[in-house]
Amino acid sequence: MKMNKIFYLAVASALTVSCADLDTAPQGGTVTADQKAEVAANDPSKVSASVTGITTMFSVCQKSFTNAHHDFGHASMMLFLDSRGIDFIGFDIGYNWYSSGLSLGDRGLSAYGSYYAWVNYYNQVYAANAVVGQIDAETENSTLQFYLAQALCIRAFDYFNLIQQFQFTYKGNEDAPGVPIILDTNATEAGVNGIARNTVGEVYEQIMKDLDLAIKLLTASSEIRSDKRYVDLAVAYGLRARVNLVMQNWSAAASDAQAAIDNSDATPLSFEGAKKPGFIKMTENNWMWGIFISETDRVVTSAIVNWPSHMGSFNYGYASVGAWRMINPSLYEEINPSDARKGWFLDANSKSNNLSSQQQAYVNSKGTPPYAQVKFAPYKEELGTSTNANDIPLMRIEEMYLILAEAQAMSGNASQGKTTLENFVKTYRDPQYSCEGSSDKEIQDEVWIQRRIELWGEGLAYFDLLRLRKGIDRASTKFTTVDPDRKLENYNYRIVDTVEGERAAIQSVKNGNGSITGTDINYLIYQIPDEEIQANKLINEGDNNLGTPTLIPVPVN
């Protein structure tokens, strides 16, 4: 019997890092679901290893592909998605494992991006379901309430990522095919008989159901998380604020963002704190939630199969030998000179006012190109380190202020949104900042610019392009991703939003001009991978997202 590919892959890799305490009886037998629930009720600490196992899956090294150096959990997807956008520029060279993202060639039936997004998040769903199935939702045990909330929030997080990657944004697409909803209650049936795509609306309904219950449980629980790899009440509100923002539930998004701020002990990074490289440990005061990385983790001992390797300008890895990560110069030019974040990136002369003399000398010695990021410091701030054990941000308190400002403006109070935005930016980033907009849409666009700057490189920018229907225009970057060896002006393309963000036209660009080479194409979302189509009886080729032709780089004269 052929098992649905979702579960074939999940069982192979997820089971090895989760639920070890509850899945095996003392003499090697497998316990039943009822027995596991009984064990959990009698000894809630038994669930601890299962929940910790789920958090570990955020950074498991090469769990899907043996030799893939861009296979290290959610952070790998952050790099793929950022590479698809307009502000995260990279060279198409052999050291850049995300070149297919740059060209939007990562979204086809057999493309790595589609496959990895599908497998990565469904693996985590599988592990979360195992915990959800062990705990009664009506439990009054504080520890079990805490652990159940962890699994629910992570499951919601995974489905939120999946639905935004495999279908267009919520509003106007509620009835469009989304992704299959796999829960602890239907997993066996789905694994044997297959499962169809649920609608976008149904997926968001399940996400909100999980988050609503998680917030209820965390409100009731007296358990205190041991560190920020675990979700607390503020993070749960923050996740729901993100979802409400996409759904355009503006008042609810504002309320949740404010609740996240009120219930969090995190505070925004100060102006002085922002004037130097950082963002390396989840103990930093502005982090709400993060991926915990230990020096002994395989992603670290691999030296190069990790997020800092592909991102960092100060450490050993792929970035520092040519796969640099650079800001869109057009966005860089929009950052005021008085803004501390201007120094998160090198200028046109490869200088930054945020760097110490030693840091500046280091980037100079490496030939770091203009506009390369110097936002993220190396581990323990050791220049040239090969110990890439940086924690990875999943949520920062600054995002909540930006959600609050946008949601206030869009819910009918533009002046309040403007005040929230100005107070935040002037206090923490740019004392000379002034918001020029006054209408709701103008404030929303100004918040978008601030999100592009503040959250650069943190895996959120591409979803903003989709929810705001901004399209993708790299022809205006004033910067070409040139490979000096191959002399190609790579992926300087324009995708033009035409029909509510659901259709796009592609324009190959040479020196800023080109011609339309295709219309009504769907570059912006992933296709369900072919292996799932072949294995899942209830999803066939006709059920998949539309295919697209291949983008071809334009040679430089």
Side-chain angles (χ1 to χ4, degrees), residues 213-259:
L213 179 54
I215 288 171
K216 177 182 176 181
L217 292 165
L218 289 168
T219 301
S221 176
S222 60
E223 196 82 9
I224 299 174
R225 63 180 179 175
S226 57
D227 57 60
K228 295 179 184 177
R229 86 184 85 175
Y230 302 104
V231 171
D232 65 2
L233 182 59
V235 173
Y237 275 121
L239 287 170
R240 200 170 69 178
R242 286 179 177 177
V243 179
N244 275 318
L245 195 71
V246 172
M247 297 177 74
Q248 298 184 18
N249 298 331
W250 303 119
S251 295
S255 177
D256 281 341
Q258 187 64 64

Side-chain angles (χ1 to χ4, degrees), residues 63-79:
K63 66 184 177 184
S64 301
F65 296 96
T66 303
N67 296 313
H69 288 191
H70 51 1
D71 183 357
F72 44 85
H74 175 69
S76 186
M77 285 309 307
M78 290 165 60
L79 285 159

Side-chain angles (χ1 to χ4, degrees), residues 92 99 102-103 474 481 489-493 551-554:
D92 179 25
S99 293
L102 289 174
S103 67
R474 286 192 185 163
T481 51
E489 188 174 348
N490 288 316
Y491 315 131
N492 229 17
Y493 51 76
L551 273 173
I552 301 175
V554 180

